[in-house]
Amino acid sequence: MTESPVGLRIFARRTLLLAAVLILAGLVLAAVLLSTDNPVVLLSIFSTRFLGIFIEAVPFLLLGTLVSGLLEVFVRPEDIARYVPRRALPATLVGTLMGFAFPVCECGVVPVVRRLFHKGLPMSVGVTFLLAAPVMNPIVLASTIAAFGFGPVLIGRFVITLVVAGGVGLVFAFGARPQEILQPQSLMPVMGGGTDVCPTPAPRPGLWSGFHQAFEHAIDEFFEMGRDLIIGSLLAAAMQTLISQEVLLALGRGPVVSVLVMQVLAFVLSVCSTVDAFLALAFVGTFTGGSILAFLTFGPMVDIKSTLMFLGVFKRKTVLYLILLPLLMTLLIGIWTNLNVNL
Amino acid sequence: MEAAEHLHEHDHNHEHGVPVQEILKTALLIGLGLYFVVLIATGSLTNYINVRFSWLSYVAALIFLLLGATSAVRLMQSRRHDHHPHEHQHDHDPEHGSISWAALAVIAVPLVLGTLIPSRPLGAAAVDSELSANNIGGDVTAAFNIPPEQRNILDWVRALNAAEDPATLNGQTVDVVGFVYRGEAYTSDQFLVARFTISCCVADAVAIGLPVAWPEDLPLDAWVRVRGQFVPGDFQGETRPVIQPTRVELVEQPEHPYLYP
């Protein structure tokens, strides 16, 4: 093997990032050149729209990274795994709600789940937690309320996540053994120094050095997730500013097409679940309610970033299930919502 | 093999003595913190988000500056210890900490746009196609409890939507502030005194407006105070109350350019 998974992942991410930036720049340039409006005015509107999303979203992103850093340093997944029931049904239910005790977004959830599996957490709970945690946590709750208020979108987001994550978890509860699902290294005991297996927990740090470590962790995470937030916000602002309302409505009004478009967008943008609600806002006027819900539920479960991380933990076939099951379930729920509920 | 590559990635910054990426990261964090401080201090924060959420920007400024300070401390320690920068184990994703130059450039985008492009609220040029005022949420009937001369554009739009017969509002006194918007099909003696409403941030901005019958030419996008009363009129082929002003004056942009439903 010439390419290690880590090298390959870094390479794939950088290529994707570069491609995204280039496509975005090309689209913006083409739209500005084709538009009859004054480019300076367009740039000013674009800048206001972009900064609006960024300024509203970034506090939640920062809080998320801080919480993640504090968890990383002070709390062990094992502390929580101890209280998980062993029977499939109650365990799966606990898995869906565990995110409230252990708030991680989709970027942080995979390493945590790997560590939980290592500690013997049942497969179904792990898979459920993996899919549910990016939404089922207090920071996402707060940002979704800030964006949409207390209403159907908020309730829909949490209920759909509960149903889909719990459903997929139960599929795994009754149909799978860990050896068939996990990559061998996720099953094996710790190997010192390896980066792709669970590391040896360091001794718990003191309060002061613990805070310092948590902040350093938050810095690293901010630069990674901030990048995705900014690319996502640039795209949303460009879309609002440069693409005409008629084109958007043509895409966004179809009960099926709109859901598929928003799912692809959620997958490609890979915006952290703590702030994706603010991006979804940009689509509310033009896209169907079901497609907004699909964006807010499918995106946190599966996107480019989490798929690449899944591949480090699960076998390929499992990763396929982890993508396809939530995709189909949120697609069907999104279409059903469009046909039956007036959001 | 993986471990070796990880180490290589991590040491990359320190190979040339000066950890340029670390310096840039520190500068970006402090810069973003200061940007938020400036937004708050100058009041231009209200160009972007609902004032209800401005406390979040205080939080952001604080966290950015704290992270910037942490990063600066890390930088100084790593220079002091030279090639032994980290005592503790980084046990998270290997890509953390070693990000590409492209990613750093992306993080700089908000700072660049925020400082180079003058901060302006959305105005007439951002109004997309025809104004639709039907999806304004909130307590629609509450608008009737406000005395007419104190209603803003949002209150009026709600009152017009909620009234069984909008014509009942004719004769009421109007005193509103908004920007001048003119659609392509408008006749030369009419314009819309318009505002954007936002519930969260400009991503959900919706433009609303009231038709005004006024023969004098006003610059597009200018902020105006319109005083007068509603009279029966014709606007875009529809018979509806139209403002017949006694006075239209140019005013400063209000402190809060958007209305909050």
Side-chain angles (χ1 to χ4, degrees), chain A residues 5 7 10 13 41 48 55-56 58-59 72 146 195 199 215-217 219-220 222 224 227 240 245 281 309, chain B residues 2 5-6 36 39 49 53 56 67 70 74 88 91-93 95-96 103 107 120 125 128 200 202-204:
Chain A
I10 293 175
R13 294 263 295 263
V41 175
T48 301
I55 290 167
E56 182 73 38
V58 94
E72 172 94 13
T195 55
F215 272 62
E216 292 201 347
H217 178 89
I219 293 173
D220 294 341
F222 168 75
E224 195 181 324
R227 175 194 66 191
Q240 278 191 314
Q245 198 86 342
L281 267 186
M309 292 175 100
Chain B
E2 281 165 21
E5 208 171 290
H6 178 213
F36 271 87
L39 279 176
I49 63 172
F53 296 113
L56 281 169
L67 293 185
T70 308
R74 176 158 75 176
H88 62 267
D91 58 355
H92 40 74
D93 199 86
E95 288 139 71
H96 280 297
I107 301 286
R120 295 200 58 209
D128 208 62
C200 168
V202 288
D204 62 63

Side-chain angles (χ1 to χ4, degrees), chain B residues 163-177:
Chain B
E164 276 175 38
D165 179 10
T168 53
L169 297 177
N170 286 327
Q172 295 194 353
T173 309
V174 182
D175 182 357
V176 291
V177 173

Side-chain angles (χ1 to χ4, degrees), chain A residues 216-286:
Chain A
E216 292 201 347
H217 178 89
I219 293 173
D220 294 341
E221 210 164 270
F222 168 75
F223 276 92
E224 195 181 324
M225 302 194 322
R227 175 194 66 191
D228 297 331
L229 167 68
I230 291 167
I231 291 175
S233 313
L234 285 170
L235 194 78
M239 183 211 74
Q240 278 191 314
T241 313
L242 302 172
I243 302 179
S244 78
Q245 198 86 342
E246 296 87 68
V247 176
L248 288 178
L249 284 173
L251 274 178
R253 282 295 131 203
V256 181
V257 177
S258 63
V259 181
L260 285 169
V261 168
M262 289 302 274
Q263 282 180 317
V264 170
L265 207 63
F267 185 83
V268 175
L269 288 180
S270 300
V271 171
C272 183
S273 60
T274 49
V275 290
D276 58 0
F278 302 111
L279 291 193
L281 267 186
F283 295 87
V284 164
T286 41

Side-chain angles (χ1 to χ4, degrees), chain B residues 122-203:
Chain B
L122 295 182
V127 177
D128 208 62
S129 66
E130 285 318 293
L131 300 190
S132 113
N134 299 323
N135 50 358
I136 294 298
D139 189 0
V140 175
T141 48
F144 289 113
N145 300 329
I146 305 170
E149 61 277 8
Q150 286 174 24
R151 289 179 200 161
N152 61 27
I153 294 176
L154 178 62
D155 298 325
W156 277 113
V157 168
R158 281 178 172 158
L160 286 162
N161 283 341
E164 276 175 38
D165 179 10
T168 53
L169 297 177
N170 286 327
Q172 295 194 353
T173 309
V174 182
D175 182 357
V176 291
V177 173
F179 59 84
V180 175
Y181 172 75
R182 234 180 249 110
E184 283 169 19
Y186 291 15
T187 55
S188 61
D189 62 347
Q190 55 186 205
F191 73 91
L192 224 53
V193 56
R195 289 291 276 267
F196 274 97
T197 68
I198 63 172
S199 350
C200 168
C201 58
V202 288

Side-chain angles (χ1 to χ4, degrees), chain B:
Chain B
M1 151 100 193
E2 281 165 21
E5 208 171 290
H6 178 213
L7 277 177
H8 176 74
E9 282 281 337
H10 224 266
D11 274 354
H12 190 262
N13 288 333
H14 304 283
E15 272 174 7
H16 311 293
V18 186
V20 182
Q21 275 206 350
E22 293 300 315
I23 293 172
L24 275 178
K25 278 187 181 181
T26 311
L28 280 173
L29 288 169
I30 294 174
L32 282 166
L34 292 178
Y35 175 58
F36 271 87
V37 171
V38 170
L39 279 176
I40 295 163
T42 59
S44 51
L45 195 60
T46 53
N47 288 347
Y48 302 103
I49 63 172
N50 188 326
V51 71
R52 186 154 57 101
F53 296 113
S54 53
W55 63 274
L56 281 169
S57 297
Y58 290 76
V59 173
L62 183 74
I63 298 180
F64 269 131
L65 291 175
L66 280 175
L67 293 185
T70 308
S71 184
V73 169
R74 176 158 75 176
L75 194 64
M76 283 188 283
Q77 281 176 348
S78 77
R79 299 203 75 171
R80 201 174 303 142
H81 302 298
D82 209 9
H83 282 263
H84 307 283
H86 295 296
E87 294 293 318
H88 62 267
Q89 180 105 33
H90 273 281
D91 58 355
H92 40 74
D93 199 86
E95 288 139 71
H96 280 297
S98 65
I99 60 166
S100 66
W101 293 99
L104 277 178
V106 169
I107 301 286
V109 167
L111 266 181
V112 172
L113 287 181
T115 44
L116 292 188
I117 297 176
S119 174
R120 295 200 58 209
L122 295 182
V127 177
D128 208 62
S129 66
E130 285 318 293
L131 300 190
S132 113
N134 299 323
N135 50 358
I136 294 298
D139 189 0
V140 175
T141 48
F144 289 113
N145 300 329
I146 305 170
E149 61 277 8
Q150 286 174 24
R151 289 179 200 161
N152 61 27
I153 294 176
L154 178 62
D155 298 325
W156 277 113
V157 168
R158 281 178 172 158
L160 286 162
N161 283 341
E164 276 175 38
D165 179 10
T168 53
L169 297 177
N170 286 327
Q172 295 194 353
T173 309
V174 182
D175 182 357
V176 291
V177 173
F179 59 84
V180 175
Y181 172 75
R182 234 180 249 110
E184 283 169 19
Y186 291 15
T187 55
S188 61
D189 62 347
Q190 55 186 205
F191 73 91
L192 224 53
V193 56
R195 289 291 276 267
F196 274 97
T197 68
I198 63 172
S199 350
C200 168
C201 58
V202 288
D204 62 63
V206 176
I208 54 171
L210 301 170
V212 185
W214 189 248
E216 286 171 38
D217 201 29
L218 288 165
L220 197 69
D221 224 8
W223 284 92
V224 288
R225 179 173 180 191
V226 177
R227 278 176 279 189
Q229 56 176 211
F230 269 121
V231 296
D234 179 68
F235 184 74
Q236 300 291 290
E238 186 193 351
T239 305
R240 53 159 296 162
V242 168
I243 301 174
Q244 182 67 64
T246 49
R247 217 179 147 187
V248 176
E249 58 186 323
L250 293 173
V251 292
E252 290 275 293
Q253 176 192 315
E255 191 192 345
H256 298 288
Y258 308 118
L259 298 173
Y260 311 119

